[in-house]
Amino acid sequence: MIPFLDLKAINAQYREKLITACTQVIDSGWYICGKELEEFERNFANYCGTQYAVGVANGLDALILTLRAWKELGKLHEADEVIVPSNTYIASILAISQNNLKPVLVEPDIHTFNIDTKKIEAAITDRTKAILPVHLYGQLAAMPEIMSIAKKYHLLVLEDSAQAHGAEIGGKKAGNWGDASGFSFYPGKNLGALGDGGAITTNDAELADMLKAIRNYGSHEKYKNLVPGVNSRLDEIQAAILNIKLKFLDRENQHRRQIADLYLKGIQNPAIELPLIIIDTETYTQHVWHLFVIRTRHREELQKYLADHGVQTLIHYPIPPHKQQAYKEWNDLSLPISEQIHAEVLSLPIGPTLSVDEAKQIVQLCNGFQI
């Protein structure tokens, strides 16, 4: 069986380094908000090209706490509207609604899976205060256009970069386009911890200071609480692990690109729609292929066919957010592009330990699929 993603093999590459890093933390006697976190925050900010990075407990908290911090700073208020793509993973939307803000769902481009910039302006009202673009599957949303719209209407931009570590447009990386960005270090991400973890990147010193307080019970100084905060801290062991794995992120992303290139050039079955990469000479896009997502009207048959031939695939995601019970007030909404995407997508194996021969085998199988 070719697994969808072999986390054991991925981390085995760095086993001795990870053991050494964890041992150093254990022996240090300091396990929360110490030098490993400070080092990772500095390293990750440098990697993304930002002034600041703030480690938190997970990717959802990275989004929730950023919106919360803007409320504390008076930049957002209850019931303000936040534009978000309608086909995203539900976490992007949960972050908005959990702050008592109003998500405004905008359909994606069916070929790139990212928010359709042509539809953003039509969704803006006098209550719109922010845009939350999602870099779905590893390709940056059309950030030059989105930032231009945001500037025109004086909107905040919070990037959801959970799937886009290292992705870029014209040399500018995910996390350095908007006013802030949320990252996830869930184990299966391109930069994955050995547990949950997340971070916010920003160039705004005031926001970074507020985030550091909110993540730590609202405290800038021990036993002094400026705002009602939470406990959402990236611990020392996960920070130490991420400090090791960050060094190899570009190499792993390049391998993902090699596998994706084999798929893009090799799969020639008319029953399979390949993802579109946006590339032009002025805004060259570096996709990092967190997922390689195809579309087909015969998803169940293709998934079974591949499984019968020893290839594991997954569906990201089978149910659109507006059809989830969690948002039952939206269940009658008609968002046909999102609904089509969620009914047709299938994710092929891709990752830093998938071999070229395995990828070629998958290409051959896809081309042999008949309905």
Side-chain angles (χ1 to χ4, degrees), residues 49-52 172 175-180 201-208:
T50 60
Q51 293 295 310
Y52 309 98
K172 191 172 184 177
N176 194 24
W177 282 91
D179 298 283
T201 56
T202 184
N203 291 306
D204 184 337
E206 184 181 37
L207 176 62

Side-chain angles (χ1 to χ4, degrees), residues 259-275 292 294 348 359-360 362-367:
I259 298 300
D261 191 56
L262 284 171
Y263 286 158
L264 290 168
K265 292 178 179 176
I267 297 174
Q268 298 177 1
N269 189 326
I272 296 173
E273 183 82 19
L274 296 170
F292 190 95
I294 61 172
L348 301 181
K360 289 179 178 178
I362 293 167
V363 167
Q364 187 175 23
L365 286 169
C366 285
N367 287 334

